[in-house]
Amino acid sequence: MQLLTHSSLMNASSPQNRPRPTGNASKILTAKDGPRTLRILASLLFDSETATFVKDRVVTVSRVTGLITDVSSIKSDVDYVNDQSADIVDLRPQNIVLLPGLVDTHVHLFLGPYNVSSGWDDQVLGQSVAERTIRATTRAKDTLMSGYTTVRDLGTEGAGEADIALRKCISAPMSIIPGPRLFTVTRAIVPSGTYGPKSELHPHDEGVDGVQGADTADGEAECRKVIRRQVGAGADWIKIYGEALNEDQLSRSRLEAVSPRTGNYSFPTFTREEFKALIDTAHSLGTKICAHAISDSTIKLLIELGIDSIEHGYLMTETGALKALQDSNGRTKWNPTLATFRLGGLYPDSTCNAAKRAFQKALKMGGISFATGGDTGTFAHGANALEMTTMIEYGATPREALKWSTLGGWECIRGRTWDGEEGNERLKNFEKAAEAGLHANCAEDEVKAFERIEEWPLGDNDVPFGVIKPGFAADLAGLIVSARSMAWLGLGLDGGRADESAGMDVDDFCDAIQHRVEFVMKGGRVYKMGGTEIARGL
């Protein structure tokens, strides 16, 4: 791994770097030589494990491993200015709150907003895979610059395995374009006759002109085969459609003109045996699997069979699937995708209201593991925080929404080897190796600490993230809040709207998370500083 040196931070004339922010931008103090360490000073830091804000912390980052090596209380400023062992980023002058990098667990980088980029069919059939991939690169950059350092892309929707190539170009060691850590599924999986695009001339065909929005599988044998094929292609996750959500996914949508009720009815897509074959095969290959589903009966069955996450789920009830989620003890995560129902312009008000009710019921019940994925792509990439702010509008506190968007994202997206006792042991080993790097004499010693635990080289999608603590990825986002909000957050208030003053602070926080992300770091590289984008990272 190439180390960032003093000259690479300061040489604005280098084509690989950008000028440092000036004026009122956050300060960067640079040591005389090019150290392996970067320290970030923050007045307020979000601890995603306890969902609290802690004051006056310094986060130490290794540029060798891209991991956090230490988090401690800030000492005298003189100690940092005179410290020749590290470069310093001081976020304190502008009321910047430091967060773990945000995680969107449900995006579609190969789609743009339907009301801006044209509709689903127009994009899938009217744009080549090359064009859609180029567009995806700009959306990946917009996502990263908004503070989202990790996403799970749940289907290219007709672009095949182009997400695998995009992941390669974003990830180390290539990293030729800026973007978040990208977890892929390649193609979602559906049975025959259930997914678009649908031909008007040849209604019996799957797809149009050879373009299919998803992978088809019928029967247990084909279900096993399609999982094996997708895992072999390099998918991080598997996605299946458990039920239809809109016209393009309805099994009997061609009946709508003559039998509207039947044509619009959402049938379960696969049989119990097919669902079991899909889930068991994915798990046997060490791969997690998520399901697009909406109703009590289908979701209860999927949870019983071991599904890892549910997408949408807006018709769940307290005595049905929500209870099953609660009883899963966090094994199955829920991504309610509230933003797409509320803001995407794709669904009727009744669907939006149902999604809101289901989410509020779940909040009241407690004990349900949320992650925040807005189905981003139906609305603009870079506006990913709309899911978080919608959750807050519907009754969640800012601290809850932040926890679900950081630690919750990690717990949802991470690979199976990070779960359970095996995962806990890996986390302990990462923490010890990272802390050893803090006291290492050279880069080689930092590497050896991870070689000893058989974790080197570190893969972009196989390191912990979502928490600011030693051993976790140095994925960070800083947002500017008002002085009033800084004081309010520092007091540990829950953000309830019981009184007007608290409500004003909630509004300021929601505006900040959407529009005032000042600082972005991914894997120990700074991609945004003082609001200025640094496309190649520092």
Side-chain angles (χ1 to χ4, degrees):
M1 180 176 180
Q2 182 181 2
L3 301 184
L4 297 178
T5 64
H6 173 71
S7 60
S8 71
L9 280 170
M10 298 298 293
N11 184 9
S13 64
S14 168
Q16 296 179 336
N17 299 297
R18 298 290 185 273
R20 291 186 298 120
T22 57
N24 292 325
S26 305
K27 298 186 296 184
I28 182 163
L29 310 172
T30 314
K32 193 177 241 186
D33 300 315
R36 308 185 321 271
T37 300
L38 178 69
R39 291 198 174 98
I40 303 161
L41 310 182
S43 297
L44 210 58
L45 176 151
F46 182 67
D47 181 339
S48 55
E49 292 186 310
T50 61
T52 58
F53 290 90
V54 292
K55 297 180 180 179
D56 299 325
R57 289 296 187 270
V58 54
V59 180
T60 304
V61 171
S62 166
R63 291 199 183 105
V64 177
T65 63
L67 303 179
I68 295 167
T69 58
D70 185 63
V71 180
S72 56
S73 298
I74 291 177
K75 300 183 291 185
S76 165
D77 284 4
V78 176
D79 293 332
Y80 298 110
V81 173
N82 296 330
D83 183 0
Q84 299 296 303
S85 67
D87 291 325
I88 308 294
V89 175
D90 191 352
L91 301 178
R92 295 173 297 173
Q94 285 191 283
N95 288 334
I96 293 180
V97 177
L98 189 64
L99 313 173
L102 301 170
V103 183
D104 190 329
T105 50
H106 192 136
V107 308
H108 294 281
L109 288 171
F110 288 81
L111 291 174
Y114 298 173
N115 59 348
V116 175
S117 299
S118 67
W120 188 87
D121 276 10
D122 296 322
Q123 294 180 66
V124 172
L125 296 175
Q127 297 173 1
S128 68
V129 173
E131 178 183 347
R132 293 182 67 195
T133 304
I134 292 168
R135 290 176 181 270
T137 64
T138 65
R139 295 166 185 152
K141 187 189 83 164
D142 291 343
T143 300
L144 178 63
M145 298 307 172
S146 68
Y148 279 79
T149 54
T150 302
V151 299
R152 183 180 58 165
D153 189 296
L154 289 185
T156 62
E157 307 285 318
E161 289 76 39
D163 54 346
I164 299 293
L166 180 63
R167 183 185 67 191
K168 178 181 178 181
C169 292
I170 290 173
S171 305
M174 185 176 285
S175 300
I176 61 174
I177 57 174
R181 299 179 193 275
L182 177 57
F183 288 72
T184 64
V185 304
T186 68
R187 314 172 192 216
I189 300 171
V190 297
S192 298
T194 59
Y195 207 72
K198 296 183 177 181
S199 172
E200 294 299 323
L201 293 178
H202 306 285
H204 192 267
D205 289 356
E206 292 291 329
V208 175
D209 295 332
V211 177
Q212 292 182 248
D215 221 345
T216 55
D218 300 297
E220 295 173 57
E222 285 191 15
C223 287
R224 295 189 186 97
K225 183 177 181 179
V226 73
I227 297 289
R228 291 168 181 151
R229 187 172 65 241
Q230 291 196 0
V231 172
D236 298 284
W237 269 74
I238 298 295
K239 178 187 179 183
I240 60 175
Y241 276 84
E243 286 174 294
L245 192 62
N246 56 41
E247 182 180 340
D248 285 327
Q249 303 157 7
L250 291 166
S251 301
R252 309 195 70 186
S253 63
R254 296 184 191 278
L255 280 175
E256 184 179 7
V258 293
S259 299
R261 185 178 180 85
T262 302
N264 282 296
Y265 188 81
S266 179
F267 295 91
T269 51
F270 294 101
T271 65
R272 178 190 180 92
E273 292 73 24
E274 289 171 324
F275 277 135
K276 185 174 182 355
L278 290 162
I279 294 169
D280 287 352
T281 306
H283 287 170
S284 73
L285 296 172
T287 307
K288 288 186 175 180
I289 179 169
C290 66
H292 165 122
I294 59 175
S295 71
D296 267 346
S297 57
T298 299
I299 294 172
K300 284 176 66 178
L301 172 60
L302 288 164
I303 293 172
E304 176 192 334
L305 295 175
I307 200 76
D308 294 294
S309 80
I310 294 293
E311 314 303 308
H312 310 304
Y314 62 85
L315 294 181
M316 293 190 291
T317 66
E318 305 100 309
T319 57
L322 288 176
K323 182 66 166 60
L325 273 175
Q326 188 183 55
D327 290 343
S328 78
N329 295 317
R331 187 197 68 202
T332 301
K333 317 299 180 189
W334 181 27
N335 296 280
T337 65
L338 303 173
T340 191
F341 298 130
R342 183 174 179 269
L343 301 164
L346 304 174
Y347 303 98
D349 289 345
S350 58
T351 302
C352 175
N353 293 335
K356 180 179 180 179
R357 286 194 299 271
F359 177 71
Q360 290 176 331
K361 290 174 183 176
L363 282 182
K364 185 176 180 180
M365 289 172 63
I368 291 173
S369 292
F370 292 99
T372 57
D375 211 347
T376 312
T378 60
F379 56 93
H381 299 276
N384 308 62
L386 286 170
E387 178 72 4
M388 198 189 314
T389 58
T390 303
M391 286 177 156
I392 294 170
E393 181 180 334
Y394 288 175
T397 69
R399 292 188 294 124
E400 287 174 327
L402 277 175
K403 182 172 183 176
W404 301 332
S405 301
T406 51
L407 177 61
W410 155 246
E411 291 176 340
C412 176
I413 287 181
R414 66 190 182 190
R416 284 173 62 83
T417 59
W418 289 102
D419 290 339
E421 289 304 314
E422 179 185 2
N424 290 336
E425 190 64 27
R426 287 189 76 189
L427 285 173
K428 291 175 185 176
N429 289 337
F430 260 67
E431 182 176 2
K432 291 176 183 176
E435 289 175 338
L438 181 66
H439 307 291
N441 294 319
C442 60
E444 289 75 13
D445 287 347
E446 290 195 58
V447 171
K448 287 178 181 177
F450 283 90
E451 287 179 336
R452 283 193 290 270
I453 60 171
E454 300 181 347
E455 293 283 4
W456 190 267
L458 302 177
D460 274 28
N461 289 7
D462 200 25
V463 293
F465 52 82
V467 184
I468 303 177
K469 66 184 291 187
F472 278 69
D475 293 358
L476 304 168
L479 58 144
I480 298 178
V481 299
S482 68
R484 182 184 181 90
S485 288
M486 181 70 82
W488 168 68
L489 294 171
L491 290 173
L493 301 180
D494 65 4
R497 290 178 174 266
D499 62 71
E500 188 176 352
S501 61
M504 290 169 60
D505 292 319
V506 170
D507 293 340
D508 177 71
F509 173 82
C510 289
D511 185 72
I513 203 73
Q514 292 182 83
H515 306 299
R516 289 183 257 141
V517 175
E518 179 84 355
F519 174 80
V520 176
M521 171 180 279
K522 188 191 86 171
R525 295 177 67 89
V526 178
Y527 285 91
K528 193 174 189 181
M529 184 75 180
T532 300
E533 297 179 2
I534 307 168
R536 293 295 297 271
L538 293 179

